[in-house]
DNA sequence: CGGCATGTTGCGCA
DNA sequence: TTGCGCAACATGCC
């Protein structure tokens, strides 16, 4: 579930399900997901409160409550929010439940997360994880005059820099991989070696990759049967959609980075 | 069985 | 301070 487009879809879902509603019951028994909170504090912070807004920055969600409290949600690798009828039995991998009331209409919003890498943090103020995030490419836009120097002063591989949440919030392995392919930039190129035209191409690539994933991961988007919508992510060994060369991969920052050795040739 | 996975954090060491 | 490799977290899928 986790990358900017998926989290944005989750945000829109939660907006439809919970904004304007009052939380009538809240439970999460998983201390690992709640870290550093506790099940009792979670329930206490939420029950009786009204949900005013669902915001997103990068891969984090923030539910704003009418008493000033906030619930922060990170989906980790496998988290997702779903809506169920009130009283529906817990399903596989269900980790938290928020029953909400809108007038007489009751429904239950559930957090599913098989792998439990996500977070659920009830707080009275913004948490450091949220505050430390850089600009969000979708809601804040990408400011070239800010991004260019941020990349230029670092010697790390451009792909690692794009995934640095303090530089751009929400870019993960899929978006970075796809955007660099679209931009024809080798993922290993140091930030300091990028030309202005590279940075512009990367920005265009990110915008296109985000729009593409939003379109077909969203509701009524092709998300179902069929091939993944990715050009190169997860396709090592398959032909490059642009030139037919077999796609290669390297490991950067511990993450697999697929690229086309022809289109994304390292310059020197 | 082994290998891999859309994320993040922390540690040791240079 | 920056960089880098690696392990850990917990689970499912191929």
């Amino acid at each position: 579930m986790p990358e900017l487009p998926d989290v944005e879809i989750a945000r829109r879902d939660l907006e439809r399900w919970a904004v304007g509603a009052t939380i009538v019951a809240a439970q999460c028994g998983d201390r690992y997901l709640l870290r550093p909170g506790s099940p009792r504090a979670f329930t206490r912070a939420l029950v009786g409160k009204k949900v005013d807004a669902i915001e997103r920055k990068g891969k984090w969600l923030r539910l704003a409550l009418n008493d000033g409290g906030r619930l922060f949600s990170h989906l980790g690798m496998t988290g997702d929010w779903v809506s169920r009828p009130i009283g529906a039995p817990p399903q596989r991998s269900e980790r938290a439940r928020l029953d909400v009331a809108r007038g007489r209409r009751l429904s239950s919003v559930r957090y599913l997360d098989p792998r439990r890498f996500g977070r659920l943090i009830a707080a009275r103020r913004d948490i450091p994880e949220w505050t430390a995030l850089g600009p969000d490419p979708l809601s804040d836009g990408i400011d070239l005059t800010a991004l260019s120097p941020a990349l230029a002063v670092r010697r790390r591989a451009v792909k690692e820099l794009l995934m640095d949440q303090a530089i751009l919030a929400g870019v993960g392995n899929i978006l970075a991989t796809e955007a660099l392919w679209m931009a024809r930039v080798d993922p290993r190129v140091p930030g300091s070696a990028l030309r202005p035209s590279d940075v512009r191409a990367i920005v265009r690539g990110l915008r296109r990759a985000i729009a593409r994933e939003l379109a077909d991961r969203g509701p009524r988007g092709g998300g179902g049967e069929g091939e993944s919508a990715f050009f190169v992510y997860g396709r090592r060994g398959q032909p490059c959609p642009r030139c037919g060369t077999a796609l290669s991969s390297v490991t950067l920052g511990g993450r697999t980075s697929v690229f086309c050795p022809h289109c994304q040739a390292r310059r020197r």
Side-chain angles (χ1 to χ4, degrees), chain A residues 29-87:
Chain A
D30 192 317
R31 286 183 172 274
Y32 186 69
L33 283 170
L34 292 172
R35 76 204 117 97
S38 68
R40 283 177 50 196
F42 178 81
T43 298
R44 189 172 354 111
L46 299 176
V47 172
K49 311 305 187 317
K50 201 179 102 191
V51 180
D52 282 341
I54 318 285
E55 297 144 310
R56 180 191 59 77
K57 198 197 285 187
K59 302 169 193 172
W60 280 93
L61 291 169
R62 181 175 68 179
L63 285 70
L65 307 177
N66 66 334
D67 70 338
R70 305 125 207 236
L71 175 65
F72 293 88
S73 163
H74 194 292
L75 304 180
M77 203 90 103
T78 52
D80 196 14
W81 288 95
V82 299
S83 179
R84 290 283 180 269
I86 195 81

Side-chain angles (χ1 to χ4, degrees), chain A residues 4 7-8 11 55-58 60-61 130 136 138-139:
Chain A
L4 188 154
V7 183
E8 174 61 17
R11 190 196 69 76
E55 297 144 310
R56 180 191 59 77
K57 198 197 285 187
W60 280 93
L61 291 169
W130 173 276
D136 182 277
L138 189 63
S139 44

Side-chain angles (χ1 to χ4, degrees), chain A residues 161-176:
Chain A
L161 296 176
L162 293 180
M163 292 175 64
D164 182 337
Q165 301 300 297
I167 294 179
L168 282 180
V171 180
N173 203 17
I174 295 177
L175 284 181

Side-chain angles (χ1 to χ4, degrees), chain A residues 148 150-162 180 185-195 198-199 202 252 266-268:
Chain A
S148 303
L151 298 176
V153 297
R154 307 270 233 106
R155 231 174 292 191
R156 281 206 163 210
V158 59
K159 172 145 179 297
E160 293 180 76
L161 296 176
L162 293 180
L180 287 169
V185 173
D186 187 310
R188 297 165 293 189
V189 171
S192 55
L194 293 169
R195 300 173 301 194
D198 292 331
V199 181
I202 290 168
L252 292 171
R266 180 145 48 173
R267 304 178 323 268
R268 37 163 294 114

Side-chain angles (χ1 to χ4, degrees), chain A residues 63-231:
Chain A
L63 285 70
L65 307 177
N66 66 334
D67 70 338
R70 305 125 207 236
L71 175 65
F72 293 88
S73 163
H74 194 292
L75 304 180
M77 203 90 103
T78 52
D80 196 14
W81 288 95
V82 299
S83 179
R84 290 283 180 269
I86 195 81
Q91 65 192 93
R92 187 179 177 76
S93 303
E94 184 177 306
R95 312 297 185 189
R97 173 172 62 88
L98 301 179
D99 292 344
V100 298
R102 260 178 165 147
R104 286 142 226 89
R105 303 203 60 76
L106 288 164
S107 68
S108 188
V109 178
R110 314 283 175 93
Y111 178 67
L112 314 179
D113 190 350
R115 216 167 148 183
R116 297 165 65 215
F117 280 4
R119 309 284 301 274
L120 280 174
I121 304 171
R124 298 295 309 173
R125 40 168 301 175
D126 286 342
I127 57 175
E129 290 90 333
W130 173 276
T131 307
L133 295 171
D136 182 277
L138 189 63
S139 44
D140 304 325
I142 304 177
D143 180 359
L144 255 187
T145 63
L147 180 61
S148 303
L151 298 176
V153 297
R154 307 270 233 106
R155 231 174 292 191
R156 281 206 163 210
V158 59
K159 172 145 179 297
E160 293 180 76
L161 296 176
L162 293 180
M163 292 175 64
D164 182 337
Q165 301 300 297
I167 294 179
L168 282 180
V171 180
N173 203 17
I174 295 177
L175 284 181
T177 297
E178 296 287 290
L180 287 169
W181 177 80
M182 293 188 203
R184 305 182 189 235
V185 173
D186 187 310
R188 297 165 293 189
V189 171
S192 55
L194 293 169
R195 300 173 301 194
S197 60
D198 292 331
V199 181
R200 287 195 300 272
I202 290 168
V203 169
R204 282 195 299 273
L206 284 171
R207 291 198 184 113
R208 286 180 54 201
I210 291 168
R212 208 173 126 82
E213 288 181 43
L214 267 182
D216 67 47
R217 291 193 167 193
R220 81 185 144 286
E225 30 53 55
E227 284 306 294
S228 84
F230 307 130
F231 286 119

